[in-house]
């Protein structure tokens, strides 16, 4: 790992040993010792165990569900058919794994036995699985016009500007910048190509689990969810009850998410709430691994067609981009995000004077698409950076040179938003990344049966809620005679280390030691006013900014109280490590000061931003391919990532390494496969989630600090921007080694073997 020496960043000497230092995770010990209590560990008195009966058909009408035999199983307390569940459920099955019925029993084993006693009939309906075909007027209709389940979480009203798109439309976007046809006419090289991204599962170690219980008419659900307040809004809307009657709490320690736990799932929260309501007991519903694959969500399978024109010198004159995203059986608002990020990212990364975009998200009879690290941007950057690489080859220009000629720069005003880019570490990413890569790459094997290739790709993803929208938060800080600083906020640490980073900021600015700080996540009461929580790489940027401002005010208040107590000027008082000390040497702990003065401090702080600054990366990959087997090994990987400022460099390094694992899976291994809607590999024996063995043989992380002026200490988003260059960097290296452009990952060894043999484009 290396840190930049960029002159325009906030200097590390401006900080103590807290911010900018490799502080150990505050939750690390309890996790590695096994003392952490996750959602699936939770027990309750009189707890019942739920189980769900999921459809093995992908499209049909439920005509009968017979539950009497299941209800007669000893230990079964409740059996509910789909039509008996609370909320907006109808009698239509729209994907394999859709909910048919649910059981609550005294043990998980009894619940499973009862499921086997349920009989049902489904009248099959014609399915459609290809999103590009589902838009046709003749395609089967999955949601009738205006039905409640077809308009869930719709972000905006829209009209479709393409007469070819007549059916199953979840969302539609279009954008025109400049004159695309004029730009194409100015080009010396025109290239058009198509790409399809894989349907990837999150494969979190702990599967989805929720515990629901009712007290009078008020529902409480405990589960790992990245945005509890947003989830309350969604669940209350679906169940058609007031939001103030729904509380969603996170367990003592949250599981990982990677986007998989950003939103409620149709087969989880409404189902467990219905079972708990019917039995008047707490009910726990914990998905098996196969249920996790088919009843939750995966990354959207997305089709891209890109046409680009460049001059002989390598200047981009125009680009046309078309996107078709597979939303699956049900909407959740994420199709809109996929289209938005696909629309915006090319203009966040490159200076494109003439640009045309059209995007549509489409209902199919596949499992729902959902949030996954770098929503839409990860898929788009795979396609865009594969395409740009190919454009460079056809124009006779080095791929990195073509990118550098067209990169955005600090101060550049993006034509689709009118927003200036306040920080851009792309030049330093290129310089540092290329130097490190050239220094450590192997250069290839001497074996005559292997070929070696190198690849480069750039990437971008915005910080916070997204371009053209304001993101904001409010936090509350309290401090009393205990000396414990409590920080009420909307963040959930789902593995990214946010609890550690926010605590570092509070310690840095307040003078209260980290061990005396307690983060209180998503309190129901109080002025928090933040629906989004821990999504979109916003926690450090938005919530951290509020923590910074609030902690500064808290320290100022402490100094005011101490100055009166000691009868000195405020300038003669300092707060450090939980103590107040005067220049005369008088000293008292913060808690004792507040006890002696009968004071307690409460501060609320608001932070917001409309800028959503992009985080950038330039990544380099070296692959070695066995031409006799097609096996691909990643020899060297260098990730040069612009993070604004590294509040905790070691945590960022962990984020980079974890993202590289996800990107390798996207490029070379993982795809949830279906045969006419029926799953083929929905278990970890057949679905290839990788191990450390498949990681790069050597890897370096170059952390670039560009000083985002609107972020705390210059910081901006990290977790999702890192994802965007990884898959294309690897696939560009495969192209360099083999001469083959693979446009439909994951690329398996047999694909390479067939391609090398000339049987594949």
């Amino acid at each position: 790992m290396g840190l930049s020496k960029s002159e325009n960043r906030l200097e590390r000497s401006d900080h103590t040993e807290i911010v900018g230092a490799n502080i150990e995770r505050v939750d690390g010990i309890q996790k590695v010792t096994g003392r952490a209590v996750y959602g699936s560990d939770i027990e309750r008195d009189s707890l019942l165990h739920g189980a769900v009966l999921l459809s093995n058909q992908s499209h049909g009408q439920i005509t009968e569900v017979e539950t009497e035999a299941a209800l007669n199983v000893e230990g079964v307390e409740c059996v509910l058919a789909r039509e008996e569940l609370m909320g907006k459920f109808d009698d239509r099955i729209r994907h394999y794994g859709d909910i048919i019925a649910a059981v609550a029993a005294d043990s998980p084993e009894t619940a499973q036995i009862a499921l086997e006693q349920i009989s049902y009939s489904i009248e099959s309906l014609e399915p459609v699985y290809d999103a590009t075909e589902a838009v046709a007027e003749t395609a089967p209709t999955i949601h009738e016009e205006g039905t409640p389940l077809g308009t869930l979480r719709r972000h905006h009203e829209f009209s479709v500007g393409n007469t070819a798109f007549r059916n199953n439309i979840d969302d539609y976007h279009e954008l025109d910048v400049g004159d695309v046809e004029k730009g194409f006419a100015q080009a010396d090289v025109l290239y058009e190509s198509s790409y399809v991204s894989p349907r990837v599962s999150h494969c979190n170690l702990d599967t989805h689990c929720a515990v629901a219980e009712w007290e009078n008419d008020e529902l409480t659900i405990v589960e790992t969810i990245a945005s509890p307040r947003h989830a309350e809004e969604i669940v209350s809307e679906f169940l058609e009850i007031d939001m103030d009657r729904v509380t969603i709490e996170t367990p003592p320690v949250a599981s990982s998410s990677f986007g998989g736990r950003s939103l409620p799932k149709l087969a989880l929260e409404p189902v467990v709430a219905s079972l708990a309501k019917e039995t008047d007991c707490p009910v726990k519903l914990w998905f098996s691994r196969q249920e996790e694959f088919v009843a939750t969500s995966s990354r959207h399978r997305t089709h891209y067609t890109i046409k680009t024109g460049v001059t002989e010198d390598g200047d981009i004159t125009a680009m046309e981009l078309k996107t078709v995203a597979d939303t699956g059986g049900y909407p959740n608002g994420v199709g809109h995000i996929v289209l938005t990020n696909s629309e915006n990212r090319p203009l966040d990364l490159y200076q494109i004077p003439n640009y045309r975009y059209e995007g549509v998200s489409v209902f199919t009879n596949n499992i729902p698409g959902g949030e996954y690290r770098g929503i839409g941007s990860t898929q788009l950057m795979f396609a865009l950076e594969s395409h740009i690489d190919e454009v460079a080859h056809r124009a006779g220009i080095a791929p990195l040179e073509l990118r550098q000629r067209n990169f955005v720069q600090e101060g550049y005003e993006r034509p689709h938003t009118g927003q200036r880019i306040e920080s851009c570490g792309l030049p330093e990413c290129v310089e540092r990344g290329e130097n490190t890569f050239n220094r450590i790459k192997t250069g290839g094997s001497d074996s005559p049966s292997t070929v070696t290739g190198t690849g480069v790709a750039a990437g971008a993803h915005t910080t916070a809620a997204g371009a053209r929208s304001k993101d904001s938060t409010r936090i509350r800080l309290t401090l009393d005679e205990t000396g414990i600083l409590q920080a009420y906020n909307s963040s959930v640490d789902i593995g990214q280390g946010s609890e550690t980073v926010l605590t570092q900021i509070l310690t840095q600015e307040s003078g209260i030691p980290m061990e005396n700080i307690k983060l209180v996540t998503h309190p129901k009461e109080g002025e928090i006013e933040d629906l989004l929580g821990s999504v979109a790489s916003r926690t450090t940027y938005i919530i951290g900014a509020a923590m910074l401002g609030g902690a500064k005010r808290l320290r100022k208040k402490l100094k005011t109280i101490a100055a009166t107590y000691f009868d000195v000027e405020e300038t003669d008082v300092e707060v450090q490590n939980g103590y107040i000390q005067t220049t005369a040497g008088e000293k008292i702990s913060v808690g004792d000061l507040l006890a002696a003065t009968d004071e307690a401090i409460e501060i609320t702080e608001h932070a917001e931003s409309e800028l959503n600054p992009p985080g950038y990366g330039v990544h380099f990959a070296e692959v070695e391919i066995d031409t006799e087997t097609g096996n691909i090994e990643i020899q060297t990987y260098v990730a040069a990532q612009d993070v604004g400022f590294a509040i905790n460099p070691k945590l960022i390094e962990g984020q980079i390494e974890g993202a590289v694992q996800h990107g390798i899976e996207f490029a070379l291994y993982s795809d949830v496969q279906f045969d006419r809607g029926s799953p083929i590999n929905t278990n970890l024996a057949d679905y290839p989630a990788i191990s450390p063995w498949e990681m790069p043989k050597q890897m370096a992380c170059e952390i670039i600090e560009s000083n985002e002026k609107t972020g705390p200490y210059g910081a901006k988003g990290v977790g999702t921007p890192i994802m965007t260059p990884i898959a294309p960097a690897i696939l560009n290296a495969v192209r360099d080694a083999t001469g083959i452009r693979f446009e439909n990952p994951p690329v398996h060894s047999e694909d390479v073997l067939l391609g090398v043999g000339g049987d594949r484009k």
Side-chain angles (χ1 to χ4, degrees):
M1 179 187 71
L3 288 167
S4 70
K5 305 296 183 184
S6 186
E7 293 181 359
N8 68 333
R9 69 167 174 81
L10 212 57
E11 290 300 322
R12 292 188 167 272
S13 58
D14 295 343
H15 306 300
T16 69
E17 68 278 6
I18 302 299
V19 163
N22 292 323
I23 301 297
E24 291 183 0
R25 293 181 62 119
V26 297
D27 58 351
I29 296 298
Q30 61 177 325
K31 287 183 173 179
V32 300
T33 58
R35 297 201 299 265
V37 177
Y38 294 93
S40 55
D41 297 320
I42 290 175
E43 298 292 336
R44 293 281 190 271
D45 291 338
S46 304
L47 181 70
L48 297 176
H49 297 269
V52 287
L53 179 63
L54 303 178
S55 171
N56 60 5
Q57 297 186 42
S58 57
H59 199 195
Q61 204 85 20
I62 299 175
T63 58
E64 182 183 17
V65 179
E66 178 54 58
T67 62
E68 185 176 355
L71 194 55
N72 289 332
V73 173
E74 184 177 356
V76 170
E77 296 293 331
C78 173
V79 184
L80 296 176
R82 179 184 174 109
E83 64 180 9
E84 297 171 313
L85 296 169
M86 298 176 64
K88 297 181 178 181
F89 287 105
D90 57 17
D91 60 359
R92 186 89 160 263
I93 295 299
R94 293 179 175 88
H95 66 90
Y96 187 105
D98 208 347
I99 183 77
I100 293 176
V103 171
D106 59 6
S107 72
E109 295 78 14
T110 302
Q112 289 298 321
I113 291 170
L115 287 186
E116 297 172 4
Q117 301 303 312
I118 300 174
S119 60
Y120 61 92
S121 298
I122 297 177
E123 180 184 332
S124 295
L125 298 172
E126 183 184 357
V128 58
Y129 304 116
D130 188 327
T132 63
E133 298 174 358
V135 295
E137 187 173 15
T138 56
T141 299
I142 296 167
H143 290 279
E144 304 300 334
E145 186 68 29
T147 57
L149 286 174
T151 55
L152 286 174
R153 315 310 307 155
R154 178 167 283 182
H155 282 257
H156 65 117
E157 295 302 318
F158 57 86
S159 58
V160 180
N162 188 332
T163 57
F165 299 158
R166 305 299 294 273
N167 202 1
N168 296 314
I169 308 301
D170 170 43
D171 200 2
Y172 179 83
H173 288 213
E174 57 183 347
L175 173 68
D176 278 287
V177 173
D179 186 334
V180 169
E181 298 307 327
K182 180 179 178 181
F184 285 149
Q186 295 170 342
D188 297 305
V189 176
L190 289 174
Y191 180 64
E192 182 174 356
S193 52
S194 297
Y195 308 86
V196 182
S197 68
R199 183 181 288 110
V200 186
S201 177
H202 307 83
C203 290
N204 289 297
L205 291 178
D206 197 8
T207 57
H208 276 75
C209 182
V211 176
E213 54 189 319
W214 292 80
E215 184 174 347
N216 299 321
D217 287 330
E218 296 189 357
L219 169 66
T220 299
I221 298 176
V222 181
E223 63 170 327
T224 291
I225 194 97
S227 309
R229 293 295 83 85
H230 190 206
E232 289 173 356
E233 181 182 65
I234 295 170
V235 169
S236 63
E237 178 188 338
F238 186 86
L239 296 180
E240 300 178 295
I241 59 179
D242 292 339
M243 185 175 170
D244 60 9
R245 291 169 50 199
V246 178
T247 299
I248 295 183
E249 300 175 352
T250 55
V253 177
S255 306
S256 60
S257 172
F258 309 119
R261 290 184 167 94
S262 293
L263 296 171
K265 304 297 183 285
L266 210 62
L268 186 64
E269 293 88 353
V271 173
V272 74
S274 299
L275 293 171
K277 182 74 168 178
E278 187 70 17
T279 60
D280 197 25
C281 289
V283 177
K284 179 177 183 177
L285 180 56
W286 186 8
F287 283 169
S288 68
R289 181 61 64 180
Q290 184 167 14
E291 289 166 345
E292 183 84 350
F293 270 100
V294 301
T296 60
S297 62
S298 69
R299 191 186 289 283
H300 282 69
R301 184 174 175 85
T302 308
H303 302 250
Y304 293 100
T305 300
I306 311 175
K307 181 179 179 181
T308 300
V310 298
T311 65
E312 61 182 10
D313 294 326
D315 295 323
I316 296 175
T317 61
M319 180 180 290
E320 182 177 55
L321 174 61
K322 297 178 181 179
T323 302
V324 180
D326 186 348
T327 286
Y330 293 101
N332 48 26
V334 183
H336 168 76
I337 303 173
V338 171
L339 298 186
T340 299
N341 289 342
S342 297
E343 174 183 330
N344 294 337
R345 289 302 89 82
L347 297 173
D348 290 336
L349 183 60
Y350 292 115
Q351 299 182 51
I352 307 173
N354 305 292
Y355 179 73
R356 179 188 299 146
Y357 176 83
E358 180 182 57
V360 61
S361 56
V362 185
F363 296 123
T364 66
N365 291 116
N366 297 314
I367 58 174
E371 295 193 14
Y372 196 152
R373 203 170 180 182
I375 313 165
S377 296
T378 298
Q379 297 100 305
L380 179 278
M381 284 298 170
F382 141 67
L384 178 67
E385 286 299 277
S386 297
H387 177 80
I388 289 294
D389 218 62
E390 209 60 38
V391 169
H393 287 299
R394 280 160 169 71
I397 301 172
L400 185 56
E401 179 186 343
L402 181 109
R403 290 176 170 87
Q404 289 177 282
R405 287 187 67 91
N406 295 282
F407 278 153
V408 297
Q409 304 165 9
E410 189 171 314
Y412 175 74
E413 187 175 287
R414 290 168 284 178
H416 61 310
T417 65
Q419 295 176 347
R420 283 167 46 92
I421 292 174
E422 300 294 339
S423 63
C424 180
L426 282 168
E428 194 170 355
C429 285
V430 170
E431 180 183 355
R432 293 273 306 289
E434 186 176 29
N435 287 343
T436 299
F437 184 68
N438 288 337
R439 176 170 50 83
I440 69 173
K441 67 181 180 180
T442 68
S445 166
D446 294 332
S447 171
S449 64
T450 63
V451 290
T452 301
T454 61
V456 62
H461 185 79
T462 50
T463 302
R468 292 181 282 180
S469 62
K470 181 187 290 186
D471 196 357
S472 64
T473 194
R474 186 180 297 275
I475 60 104
R476 180 161 54 95
L477 304 178
T478 64
L479 184 66
D480 59 21
E481 70 277 2
T482 65
I484 301 299
L485 172 58
Q486 298 198 85
Y488 298 85
N489 71 104
S490 66
S491 70
V492 179
D493 196 326
I494 43 181
Q496 76 274 40
S498 61
E499 188 174 347
T500 304
V501 167
L502 295 178
T503 304
Q504 285 179 259
I505 293 172
L506 289 170
T507 291
Q508 173 75 37
E509 299 302 333
S510 70
I512 305 299
M514 293 183 68
E515 60 269 22
N516 287 354
I517 294 175
K518 179 182 178 183
L519 298 187
V520 183
T521 297
H522 282 281
K524 189 69 174 177
E525 73 287 343
E527 301 179 21
I528 301 305
E529 298 177 8
D530 186 335
L531 285 178
L532 293 179
S534 294
V535 299
S537 289
R538 70 187 291 273
T539 305
T540 299
Y541 180 71
I542 292 291
I543 301 175
M547 292 287 191
L548 188 152
K552 281 185 173 180
R553 290 173 54 204
L554 184 139
R555 176 177 236 151
K556 175 71 166 59
K557 181 67 174 175
L558 277 174
K559 292 179 71 171
T560 300
I561 295 170
T564 301
Y565 179 77
F566 287 114
D567 193 22
V568 297
E569 298 295 324
E570 284 189 31
T571 54
D572 295 329
V573 176
E574 189 50 79
V575 186
Q576 191 72 32
N577 202 32
Y579 285 87
I580 309 290
Q581 187 163 347
T582 69
T583 54
E586 298 170 292
K587 187 175 182 180
I588 188 173
S589 73
V590 166
D592 288 346
L593 173 70
L594 295 179
T597 58
D598 197 26
E599 293 270 10
I601 300 175
E602 180 171 322
I603 289 172
T604 60
E605 183 75 14
H606 178 82
E608 65 179 41
S609 175
E610 293 181 335
L611 296 179
N612 314 116
Y616 294 104
V618 180
H619 293 197
F620 300 80
E622 179 189 35
V623 302
E624 186 175 281
I625 298 175
D626 188 328
T627 58
E628 295 179 348
T629 65
N631 183 59
I632 303 170
E633 285 193 355
I634 303 173
Q635 296 295 321
T636 308
Y637 198 91
V638 173
Q641 197 67 36
D642 168 18
V643 305
F645 180 82
I647 291 176
N648 191 314
K650 185 61 69 173
L651 285 182
I652 289 176
E653 186 177 7
Q655 287 272 16
I656 293 173
E657 291 175 351
V660 168
Q661 176 180 335
H662 283 225
I664 291 171
E665 290 177 343
F666 183 112
L668 303 179
Y669 293 96
S670 299
D671 187 19
V672 185
Q673 298 176 357
F674 290 84
D675 180 10
R676 293 192 56 78
S678 296
I680 296 172
N681 62 341
T682 51
N683 59 74
L684 293 183
D686 298 319
Y687 181 89
I690 70 171
S691 70
W693 180 261
E694 290 83 19
M695 289 289 283
K697 299 298 181 282
Q698 54 181 353
M699 182 174 169
C701 305
E702 294 291 344
I703 297 176
I704 309 303
E705 297 180 310
S706 60
N707 186 21
E708 173 52 47
K709 300 173 182 63
T710 65
Y713 311 108
K716 56 184 175 182
V718 174
T720 43
I722 293 168
M723 280 295 302
T724 57
I726 301 166
I730 294 166
L731 294 175
N732 289 341
V734 172
R735 197 274 190 206
D736 183 55
T738 64
I740 305 166
R741 172 61 61 190
F742 291 99
E743 299 166 339
N744 187 10
V747 179
H748 299 299
S749 57
E750 54 266 36
D751 298 320
V752 176
L753 198 58
L754 289 172
V756 171
D759 295 327
R760 176 169 175 166
K761 176 183 174 183

